[in-house]
């Protein structure tokens, strides 16, 4: 925001403060400070009379913060810090929000002005203690939950299939109907030794999870690997959020803690089969390059699995439509063996086309199409949608080098969007910590305080969601179609791997010599979505919103067999 505007906040909690720190006195002092010391004559007053500073449930404060989030102010002025908050953690949260929206905080009485080095330093001292208070609270919750687990007490995670949780007694009991399903799944897997076959059987028999959702091989593997079914409590097993398995010495294992549904011997047999078949979910899971990008023509996501091993030991990925086992849906599959070369060579051809257009060596849309389809992998593709070609040619031809600079306007918008998303994750974690503090802390807060704080955080998340939606639409509508920085990233990748001068890129050699996660990350920086139907790539959507719809020959067999 080029023009400066200040939000002036005043508050008194009781009538006894009228003479000492009255709203009128605070307001006049801050107006003078804004005009004569900061040189800001554009300001707006927000007041809360008769409200305590122990929490942020104040109408004036909430309206002000909402408008700060909308980008209306550059400064926030208060008479004293305790006018805006008496709660150290609330103040720290507010300060993080102000930094998020580039708003300078000024407290006249304490002479805090975060636009100055000294003011920022003094404020950081306060925030250090706020961080310490948060960490101590988090450590208390963690230690309480670890202690509960060591005593064999359930820590409030989602109740597994086969059990009921009694909140009063805090005990798990067997759910008879669900326990039959658990035993059936263990017996079935021990017999079939295949997660895919068990998955198909459960789908055909319409057997659902505890949340009434269809089973996937991942959820099946996680269930079969859970030792709770043999009566063992395993806690602190995975990292929060990321799901990576912790070092075994950090686990808490309590044998014979809960009523068992499965015999211990059977549980061991099943998990031996899982381990030998590679079905156990763990940190060494296989990387599937296109797993997050593929969509079926029917609208479903493609699911990844390992294809058969080739004679040289190479074992590629294969992808099937998510509704493969649903009798009402399609059964499309596609292999990495042909999909990988198709996609990587199409990207390389787009990079070549951009270079040739900028050099003036391509002067028509037909020539652009020829370059895009110049490889054996596209011999069954007769063309690219004319409208998509026109848009691509015009954008590249009219682009300037500024489009490939990191300082372009869209970068700033992207950074703000990423900050909003990080802030949302932070608020969601705060909501989890708040729940844990309420449920498990020995210094538990009252239900009223819990509900008030919970509502505040939920309101915050809702406002952030609106901001994310608004900013996402702005980025797409203003910049997406013209932002070709993804081609720059593709160029850098090809040059780094010495692939930019190859007439045809050997994808198999690439994935055998380069970390597959690196290739997957590259694909995700360039491509948003690939739509596949009947083994044919129908549409490639790039991350900037540019779309290429491919036209195939009649009766083309698509990407299968040897080409």
């Amino acid at each position: 925001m080029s023009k400066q505007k200040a939000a002036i906040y005043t508050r008194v909690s009781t009538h006894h403060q009228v003479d000492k720190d009255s709203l009128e006195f605070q307001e006049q002092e801050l107006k003078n400070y804004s005009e004569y010391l900061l040189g800001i004559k554009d300001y707006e007053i927000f007041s809360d009379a008769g409200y305590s500073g122990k929490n942020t449930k104040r109408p004036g404060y909430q309206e002000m913060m909402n408008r700060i989030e909308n980008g209306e102010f550059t400064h926030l002025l208060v008479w004293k810090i305790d006018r805006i908050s008496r709660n150290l953690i609330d103040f720290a949260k507010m300060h993080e929000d102000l930094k998020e929206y580039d708003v300078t905080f000024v407290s006249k009485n304490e002479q805090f002005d975060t636009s100055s080095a000294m003011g920022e330093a003094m404020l950081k001292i306060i925030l250090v203690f706020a961080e310490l208070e948060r960490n101590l609270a988090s450590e208390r919750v963690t230690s309480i939950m670890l202690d509960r687990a060591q005593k064999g007490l359930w820590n409030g995670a989602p109740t597994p299939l086969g059990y009921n949780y009694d909140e009063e007694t805090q005990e798990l009991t067997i759910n008879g109907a669900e326990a039959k399903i658990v035993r059936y799944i263990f017996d079935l897997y021990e017999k079939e030794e295949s997660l895919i076959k068990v998955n198909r059987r459960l789908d055909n028999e319409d057997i659902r999870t505890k949340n009434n959702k269809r089973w996937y091989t991942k959820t099946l593997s996680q269930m079969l690997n859970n030792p709770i079914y043999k009566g063992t409590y395993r806690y602190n097993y995975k990292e929060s959020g990321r799901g990576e398995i912790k070092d075994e010495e950090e686990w808490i294992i309590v044998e014979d803690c809960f009523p068992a549904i499965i015999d211990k011997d059977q549980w061991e047999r099943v998990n031996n089969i899982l381990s030998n078949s590679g079905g156990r979910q763990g940190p060494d899971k296989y990387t599937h390059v296109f797993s997050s990008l593929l969509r079926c023509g029917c609208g479903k996501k493609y699911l990844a699995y390992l294809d058969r091993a080739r004679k040289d030991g190479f074992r590629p990925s294969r992808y099937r439509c998510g509704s493969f086992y649903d009798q009402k849906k399609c059964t499309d599959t596609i292999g990495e063996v042909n999909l990988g070369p198709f996609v990587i060579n199409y990207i390389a051809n787009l990079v070549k086309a951009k270079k040739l257009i900028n050099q003036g060596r391509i002067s028509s849309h037909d020539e652009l199409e020829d370059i895009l389809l110049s490889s054996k992998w596209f011999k069954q593709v007769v063309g690219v949608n004319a409208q998509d070609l026109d848009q691509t040619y015009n954008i590249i031809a009219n682009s300037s080098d500024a489009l490939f600079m990191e300082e372009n306007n869209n970068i700033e918008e992207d950074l703000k969007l990423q900050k909003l998303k990080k802030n949302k994750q932070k608020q969601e974690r705060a909501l989890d910590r708040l729940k844990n503090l309420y449920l498990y802390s020995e210094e538990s807060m009252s239900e009223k305080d819990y509900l008030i704080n919970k509502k505040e955080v939920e309101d915050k998340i809702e406002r952030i969601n609106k901001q994310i939606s608004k900013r996402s639409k702005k980025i797409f509508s203003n910049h997406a179609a013209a932002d070709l920085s993804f081609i720059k990233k593709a160029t850098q990748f090809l040059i780094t791997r010495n692939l930019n001068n190859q007439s045809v890129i050997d994808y198999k050699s690439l994935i055998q010599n380069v970390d597959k996660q690196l290739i997957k990350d590259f694909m995700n920086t360039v491509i948003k979505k690939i739509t596949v139907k009947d083994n044919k790539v129908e549409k490639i959507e790039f991350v900037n919103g540019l779309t290429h719809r491919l036209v195939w020959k009649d009766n083309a067999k698509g990407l299968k067999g040897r080409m």
Side-chain angles (χ1 to χ4, degrees):
M1 183 187 296
S2 57
K3 183 180 178 182
Q4 293 186 324
K5 183 176 180 180
I8 293 176
Y9 182 76
T10 62
R11 181 188 66 82
V12 292
S13 58
T14 69
H15 294 296
H16 299 291
Q17 292 181 308
V18 170
D19 293 330
K20 185 180 179 182
D21 294 331
S22 69
L23 292 176
E24 293 80 5
F25 174 77
Q26 295 177 43
E27 183 178 316
Q28 189 57 51
E29 286 288 300
L30 293 173
K31 283 181 179 178
N32 293 338
Y33 193 95
S34 178
E35 291 187 26
Y36 301 118
L37 281 138
L38 298 179
I40 302 175
K41 296 184 179 180
D42 188 7
Y43 48 76
E44 194 163 339
I45 310 297
F46 299 88
S47 295
D48 285 310
Y51 283 88
S52 170
K54 68 179 182 180
N55 59 51
T56 59
K57 270 299 206 185
R58 291 166 262 150
Y61 176 87
Q62 292 294 335
E63 180 189 357
M64 178 187 69
M65 293 305 296
N66 287 339
R67 293 179 61 182
I68 283 174
E69 290 174 10
N70 288 332
E72 297 184 31
F73 300 101
T74 59
H75 291 69
L76 168 58
L77 279 60
V78 299
W79 168 241
K80 289 194 300 185
I81 286 180
D82 66 4
R83 295 303 87 202
I84 199 159
S85 178
R86 290 184 180 275
N87 183 309
L88 192 57
I89 292 181
D90 283 345
F91 179 78
K93 287 163 59 180
M94 180 206 71
H95 181 252
E96 290 176 358
D97 291 339
L98 296 182
K99 289 183 68 175
E100 184 81 27
Y101 299 102
D102 299 321
V103 175
T104 297
F105 175 74
V106 177
S107 174
K108 182 181 183 300
N109 196 56
E110 291 92 355
Q111 289 297 298
F112 282 172
D113 181 343
T114 58
S115 64
S116 70
M118 182 59 71
E120 181 70 14
M122 293 298 293
L123 198 57
K124 283 180 178 177
I125 293 174
I126 290 179
L127 297 178
V128 164
F129 286 97
E131 180 69 18
L132 176 61
E133 187 174 338
R134 279 197 299 265
N135 290 340
L136 289 174
S138 177
E139 286 179 2
R140 285 197 299 270
V141 171
T142 301
S143 62
I144 289 168
M145 296 180 75
L146 290 174
D147 182 63
R148 286 173 53 84
Q150 288 171 341
K151 294 176 180 176
L153 298 175
W154 186 248
N155 262 329
T159 309
L161 179 72
Y163 292 95
N164 293 327
Y165 176 64
D166 189 318
E167 292 187 4
E168 291 187 7
T169 64
Q170 300 186 30
E171 293 181 351
L172 288 179
T173 57
I174 292 179
N175 180 313
E178 293 181 0
K180 290 181 180 178
I181 296 175
V182 171
R183 296 186 187 100
Y184 178 65
I185 292 174
F186 269 83
D187 291 344
L188 192 57
Y189 181 75
E190 189 172 10
K191 175 184 176 183
E192 299 289 352
E193 298 189 1
S194 166
L195 292 172
I196 293 174
K197 290 181 179 179
V198 173
N199 201 139
R200 181 191 304 173
R201 184 81 164 264
L202 296 177
D203 271 351
N204 290 340
E205 297 176 9
D206 198 27
I207 296 175
R208 300 281 172 152
T209 67
K210 195 176 187 75
N211 296 324
N212 198 33
K213 295 181 179 179
R214 71 179 298 268
W215 289 92
Y216 292 96
T217 54
K218 181 178 180 179
T219 50
L220 275 172
S221 175
Q222 290 171 340
M223 193 208 85
L224 293 168
N225 179 235
N226 193 340
I228 195 172
Y229 294 111
K230 62 174 180 175
T232 300
Y233 190 13
R234 182 177 62 192
Y235 186 73
N236 205 40
Y237 174 60
K238 289 186 176 182
E239 296 284 356
S240 176
R242 293 180 297 169
E244 294 181 3
I245 297 176
K246 295 183 177 182
D247 292 336
E248 192 168 346
E249 61 186 22
E250 296 184 54
W251 303 355
I252 292 177
I253 304 292
V254 184
E255 300 287 353
D256 301 317
C257 181
F258 302 121
I261 295 176
I262 299 299
D263 178 86
K264 288 183 179 181
D265 290 338
Q266 183 181 21
W267 191 91
E268 295 296 340
R269 291 196 304 271
V270 163
N271 277 265
N272 284 334
I273 297 171
L274 275 174
S275 297
N276 294 331
S277 67
R280 186 190 301 275
Q281 299 295 320
D284 299 325
K285 62 182 181 180
Y286 194 83
T287 298
H288 300 282
V289 173
F290 299 97
S291 61
S292 60
L293 299 176
L294 295 181
R295 298 293 185 277
C296 181
C298 73
K300 291 284 188 178
K301 290 183 179 181
Y302 271 76
L303 303 178
Y305 64 101
L306 282 175
D307 203 352
R308 61 178 177 83
R310 299 329 194 234
K311 291 182 179 179
D312 60 359
F314 171 57
R315 195 174 183 187
S317 299
R318 192 162 186 84
Y319 307 88
R320 60 162 51 93
C321 176
S323 55
F324 185 80
Y325 296 120
D326 190 335
Q327 295 176 349
K328 299 178 181 178
K329 300 295 181 179
C330 68
T331 58
D332 275 7
T333 66
I334 191 165
E336 181 184 22
V337 170
N338 291 322
L339 176 67
F342 187 96
V343 174
I344 191 69
N345 280 282
Y346 195 86
I347 293 172
N349 288 347
L350 181 59
V351 169
K352 293 176 189 175
K354 188 268 171 190
K355 180 179 179 180
L356 293 173
I357 291 174
N358 288 348
Q359 292 175 346
R361 295 166 60 186
I362 292 180
S363 57
S364 72
H365 302 168
D366 289 341
E367 290 177 326
L368 169 61
E369 186 177 59
D370 289 342
I371 294 296
L372 290 174
L373 302 179
S374 60
S375 168
K376 67 176 184 178
W377 296 99
F378 312 113
K379 64 183 181 181
Q380 295 185 65
V381 180
V382 295
V384 180
N385 178 273
Q387 183 179 349
D388 299 340
L389 275 178
D390 288 346
Q391 186 181 36
T392 303
Y393 182 87
N394 291 334
I395 289 174
I396 295 177
N398 295 317
S399 67
S400 65
D401 290 339
L403 289 170
F404 300 91
M405 301 297 289
E406 295 295 23
E407 294 82 11
N408 66 65
N409 293 334
N410 214 36
I411 293 293
E412 183 179 352
E413 293 295 331
D414 284 336
L415 289 174
K416 290 180 179 178
L417 182 61
Q418 292 305 314
K419 285 184 177 180
L420 283 171
K421 290 179 178 179
K422 288 181 180 178
N423 195 11
K424 178 183 176 182
Q425 292 175 345
K426 179 182 70 178
Q427 298 300 326
E428 289 172 339
R429 289 195 297 269
L431 200 60
D432 288 337
R433 288 196 298 269
L434 183 66
K435 180 181 178 181
N436 289 333
L437 195 62
Y438 171 63
L439 291 175
Y440 306 118
S441 175
E442 294 175 351
E443 302 172 2
S444 179
M445 65 179 69
S446 68
E447 183 178 8
K448 177 183 176 182
D449 287 342
Y450 166 66
L451 293 175
I452 288 174
N453 283 278
K454 178 173 175 285
K455 182 65 165 58
E456 286 182 8
V457 179
E458 289 175 340
D459 289 345
K460 179 77 173 177
I461 292 173
E462 183 178 354
R463 291 197 300 271
I464 293 173
N465 282 333
K466 290 179 181 178
Q467 293 266 334
I468 289 173
S469 177
K470 180 179 177 181
R471 197 165 294 280
S472 297
K473 291 177 182 178
K474 180 179 179 182
I475 289 173
F476 182 80
S477 61
N478 291 345
H479 302 286
D483 179 15
L484 299 179
S485 59
F486 76 95
I487 298 183
K488 179 183 178 182
K489 294 173 183 176
T491 305
Q492 292 170 338
F493 179 85
L494 296 175
I495 291 174
T496 302
R497 303 298 160 190
N498 297 317
L499 302 171
N500 57 313
N501 293 320
Q502 294 185 16
S503 57
V504 178
I505 296 176
D506 185 344
Y507 177 81
K508 180 178 178 181
S509 175
L510 177 66
I511 61 174
Q512 288 180 320
N513 292 285
V514 178
D515 181 7
K516 291 197 76 173
Q517 185 61 50
L518 180 64
I519 301 173
K520 180 174 182 174
D521 292 341
F522 162 68
M523 290 294 179
N524 279 274
T525 63
V526 175
I527 294 174
K528 178 182 178 182
K529 187 194 303 183
I530 302 172
T531 303
V532 178
K533 184 67 177 175
D534 296 329
N535 284 287
K536 304 179 186 71
V537 174
E538 293 188 331
K539 182 166 60 177
I540 300 176
E541 298 179 47
F542 297 98
V543 292
N544 72 330
L546 196 65
T547 299
H548 283 190
R549 286 163 286 186
L550 306 181
V551 182
W552 291 72
K553 292 180 179 179
D554 291 338
N555 301 318
K557 65 180 181 179
L559 299 177
K560 62 180 180 180
R562 296 185 178 273
M563 299 183 66

